[in-house]
Amino acid sequence: KDVQKEREPHVYLSKEEVKEKIQSYNSSVTDKLKMTLNANGIYTGFIKVQMELCRPITVQASQSQGRCAPSNTETAFYLPEGCVNTLHISSTNTVREVIEALLKKFFVADNPAKFALYKRCHKEDQVYTCKLSDREHPLYLRLVAGPKTEMLSFVLREHETGEVMWEAFSIPELQNFLRILDKEENDQLQILKNRYAAYRGKLEEALRGVLKPG
């Protein structure tokens, strides 16, 4: 069940409460991705984000290239299904900062405003997917829910809902989409040609067997 947005009440914990929750969290961790409490009360830790993107992303060809690099230094491709990335963040990082850091980590040139972070959780034997507001803090949600991803996981999706607003994309991005579509069309045509060529070969072989003088 998808929910457009759910406002989570942010309970302000004392430093001692945070310390106790982190100790409990770390005692349940099985993948060594523990949280650390700093002297200033800010804690750091890891979150895993599943990429569920329907459209291609534009990736910079080189780390040294800036976001405004020429289009020939960028390429667009579809992410494979089930792609999960791990980020190290702090308790002060907001959803918007997490999205920007995730895209920067993988040199994604697309505008961060095109994406939204969702949380997926289990409630009463149902799975809910809710869009998080830009000011929420993912590491706080992770700490409160505990380390089990069955209880809470994060998902990155395109921000737009409904029909795609193609006018929001740049010309290089649209050109990359066209190149991908052309390649997919040619690949599908070649598959069809090979399939019918195989059928034709079998039919011709069968005809030769029937017409062969007995």
Side-chain angles (χ1 to χ4, degrees), residues 24-192:
S24 175
Y25 182 97
N26 290 341
S27 66
S28 303
V29 166
T30 58
D31 54 9
K32 299 182 179 180
L33 300 181
K34 296 184 177 183
M35 292 194 188
T36 302
L37 178 62
N38 300 316
N40 58 6
I42 296 174
Y43 51 97
T44 59
F46 299 85
I47 62 169
K48 294 180 180 180
V49 181
Q50 184 169 349
M51 315 290 276
E52 291 186 355
L53 304 179
C54 300
R55 297 190 294 276
I57 58 171
T58 304
V59 178
Q60 298 168 6
S62 171
Q63 181 177 357
S64 61
Q65 298 294 335
R67 189 171 292 275
C68 297
S71 59
N72 59 3
T73 66
E74 299 176 348
T75 184
F77 65 91
Y78 286 96
L79 280 178
E81 292 185 10
C83 181
V84 177
N85 293 304
T86 303
L87 278 181
H88 185 253
I89 62 173
S90 82
S91 55
T92 62
N93 289 133
T94 63
V95 164
R96 181 50 47 189
E97 290 171 336
V98 166
I99 293 174
E100 292 173 354
L102 185 63
L103 299 181
K104 183 178 179 181
K105 179 179 179 181
F106 296 96
F107 313 119
V108 177
D110 297 272
N111 189 336
K114 295 178 182 178
F115 304 92
L117 192 67
Y118 291 74
K119 71 172 184 178
R120 182 173 290 153
C121 53
H122 291 255
K123 290 183 180 179
E124 299 176 355
D125 297 328
Q126 291 193 38
V127 179
Y128 291 83
T129 302
C130 312
K131 186 170 74 172
L132 298 172
S133 67
D134 286 348
R135 295 183 179 180
E136 290 190 77
H137 299 84
L139 196 61
Y140 167 80
L141 298 176
R142 179 79 279 161
L143 176 63
V144 172
K148 293 183 179 180
T149 54
E150 310 91 72
M151 299 303 297
L152 173 74
S153 58
F154 295 104
V155 180
L156 185 73
R157 291 179 177 177
E158 285 88 355
H159 187 68
E160 295 86 6
T161 57
E163 188 167 346
V164 178
M165 298 175 63
W166 295 110
E167 61 272 16
F169 292 85
S170 66
I171 291 178
E173 287 177 320
L174 295 173
Q175 289 173 337
N176 277 328
F177 294 161
L178 286 174
R179 282 193 288 269
I180 290 174
L181 289 175
D182 287 340
K183 183 180 183 303
E184 290 182 347
E185 181 181 10
N186 290 332
D187 290 345
Q188 291 299 319
L189 283 174
Q190 191 58 48
I191 291 173
L192 285 174

